[in-house]
Amino acid sequence: MFTPEEIEALVLGSRWVADRADNPLQHAARSALTRIATVLPAHLRNELDTSALLVGPGTTILADRVEPALLREAIRAERKLSLHYCDATGRPSERIVWPFALAFFESVRVLLGWCELRQDFRQFRTDRIVSATLIDARYPRRRQALLKEWREAEGIR
């Protein structure tokens, strides 16, 4: 069974997602909390309902042109993406990437992937992705291996 601290962590994390993620994830966070509440004993359900840990107002998230659900689908399925991307100066490029993670920051989301053009790890702000197409091909390495290598390259434990 969950401890009170675990329940607080679940509630706080779910509240953050429900406030700052895209619509499908917002719905999933609310749904998950409802489902968790149904299996908790009454005294722990009260902990869930009355959690005093709140998510404060955040910065407005920059609008994505591409549905984040598509990016998550590519990550889960370990499938390549064809991206049309504009950098900070507005210069366009086309890339084939192997997406392995999506990072959520206060006002932006960042797609992490192996870029076939650069033959290296790259980060793509999702608000700068003009279009993305799921390619019907898996990338040749496992997502977890790519994430591990990226963390090592970035010095992240």
Side-chain angles (χ1 to χ4, degrees), residues 7-21 25-26 28-34 36 48 55:
I7 291 171
E8 287 179 335
L10 288 169
V11 170
L12 182 61
S14 294
R15 285 178 177 169
W16 190 93
V17 171
D19 186 59
R20 297 209 170 72
L25 275 183
Q26 289 176 348
R30 291 183 193 106
S31 176
L33 277 179
T34 300
I36 291 168
L48 186 96
V55 175

